[in-house]
Amino acid sequence: MVTITTVETLQEAAANGGQGTAFLGGGTLLMRGVNYGDQDVSHIVRLRQPQCLAGVSLEGERVRLGACATMATILRSTDVAFLHAVARAVGGPAIRNMATVGGNVYAPHPYGDLAVALLALDAKLRMSDGSEMELERLLATRDTETRLIESVSAVRPSGDDFRFLKVTRVKPRGASVLSIAAWLPRRAGRISGARIAFGAMAPTPVRAPTVEAALEGASLDQNGIDRALQSVANDLNPPDDSLASGWYRMEVAPVHLKRLLLGQGTR
Ligand SMILES: Cc1cc2nc3c(=O)[nH]c(=O)nc-3n(C[C@H](O)[C@H](O)[C@H](O)COP(=O)(O)OP(=O)(O)OC[C@H]3O[C@@H](n4cnc5c(N)ncnc54)[C@H](O)[C@@H]3O)c2cc1C
């Protein structure tokens, strides 16, 4: 049997955690699992008013998204127009209406398209105890994390500095064969401090540090990105699943990275 506790604050929700307890975001994964008989969940904690954590606000050169903001919320906000293509790539309209930012950070492989974009955009999380945490660190330790995500702060990229690409099969269409997000700040025409993140190329969204290092000081043209394309294999260890084998993912990753970096495949 599954019991449900409704609380007023995220702090209360976190205090109600424990073995078998899950926090309810939009429920697109959690409730699907429960309805299919997931035995790992015996207790669900939900906020009475999740909309109080669903805001989008500008903070200087960054933007803050509440953990309960949905993909539809993102699509309605002109402040995060750079994330519209990402939010639009998550599921269909019914999923986007419910799917939250916090849930996307916890979505298992091959999901987590928004988390890939946020990882490239230097995302920092505010947790339920008020502390700050890098998204990259949470992704590495999320299975043992007991705090909840309150909000996510990410860079607001300028111009075409941010790019996102998602590769899916024609049938079934939807979940990622792979996704790539790139934040490419430039100084005097040269890349400086790039962040490159891949989805569905490891158990969680990951950064590609060797690719990032190879892009430092490079120009965004075929010659400039060559070394980065050759480095892709160093950073990734994609799993096999019903959508694609790890071998296939690894073969096509440099092709799609090239398209993204040269502006040939952004969506
Ligand atoms: C048909 C279908 C298609 C989909 N397509 C895509 C897709 O294309 N791309 C994609 O990325 N995903 C996809 N998903 C997966 C999912 O819908 C999204 O990843 C979504 O963002 C998950 O958010 P949610 O609010 O529904 O999470 P929930 O189902 O509510 O929760 C998922 C997990 O996250 C945890 N969680 C939720 N909020 C928080 C928080 N604030 N702090 C800590 N933990 C939290 C929950 O406890 C739970 O363990 C799809 C799902 C379905 C069913």
Side-chain angles (χ1 to χ4, degrees):
M1 194 180 81
V2 177
T3 56
I4 299 179
T5 304
T6 301
V7 296
E8 305 299 327
T9 67
L10 196 68
Q11 290 66 33
E12 280 177 79
N16 268 277
Q19 187 82 24
T21 298
F23 176 73
L24 181 68
T28 59
L29 291 171
L30 182 58
M31 294 317 297
R32 185 175 71 164
V34 168
N35 289 336
Y36 275 92
D38 182 350
Q39 299 296 307
D40 292 339
V41 179
S42 54
H43 180 209
I44 293 174
V45 181
R46 64 179 283 270
L47 287 178
R48 188 179 307 281
Q49 297 199 328
Q51 61 272 26
C52 62
L53 289 183
V56 176
S57 56
L58 299 182
E59 294 181 347
E61 294 181 342
R62 299 180 71 90
V63 64
R64 185 169 293 281
L65 302 168
C68 297
T70 63
M71 301 305 133
T73 313
I74 291 172
L75 285 166
R76 278 195 301 271
S77 168
T78 51
D79 288 335
V80 283
F82 56 94
L83 288 177
H84 284 183
V86 186
R88 213 175 291 119
V90 174
I95 293 290
R96 291 196 286 273
N97 255 342
M98 299 304 292
T100 65
V101 171
N104 204 268
V105 170
Y106 272 86
H109 169 90
Y111 296 136
D113 296 323
L114 182 72
V116 175
L118 294 172
L119 190 54
L121 291 169
D122 188 26
K124 300 181 197 316
L125 309 174
R126 183 174 296 154
M127 306 301 286
S128 49
D129 63 356
S131 62
E132 298 272 340
M133 184 178 196
E134 304 270 335
L135 171 59
E136 190 172 8
R137 207 177 112 225
L138 179 76
L139 287 168
T141 59
R142 66 183 181 181
D143 290 346
T144 54
E145 180 58 57
T146 54
R147 295 168 296 176
L148 297 171
I149 303 168
E150 183 185 302
S151 62
V152 183
S153 146
V155 160
R156 282 199 291 151
S158 50
D160 68 345
D161 283 1
F162 175 70
R163 298 162 189 202
F164 174 78
L165 172 152
K166 173 171 170 173
V167 180
T168 62
R169 292 181 61 144
V170 175
K171 252 187 182 179
R173 195 164 169 77
S176 288
V177 169
L178 67 95
S179 62
I180 316 174
W183 180 40
L184 303 163
R186 273 156 283 174
R187 260 193 224 141
R190 302 269 164 183
I191 299 169
S192 169
R195 289 177 65 106
I196 310 290
F198 282 84
M201 293 297 286
T204 67
V206 286
R207 278 176 72 188
T210 320
V211 173
E212 291 172 1
L215 286 173
E216 190 61 28
S219 52
L220 259 184
D221 54 36
Q222 178 67 59
N223 282 344
I225 67 170
D226 243 6
R227 211 160 53 84
L229 299 181
Q230 286 163 23
S231 312
V232 170
N234 299 333
D235 292 328
L236 305 170
N237 183 18
D240 297 329
D241 62 22
S242 57
L243 296 169
S245 65
W247 173 85
Y248 176 79
R249 287 184 155 102
M250 199 58 113
E251 287 293 304
V252 299
V255 177
H256 291 293
L257 179 61
K258 175 181 165 183
R259 289 181 182 161
L260 184 77
L261 293 176
L262 297 183
Q264 297 167 347
T266 43
R267 26 180 309 191

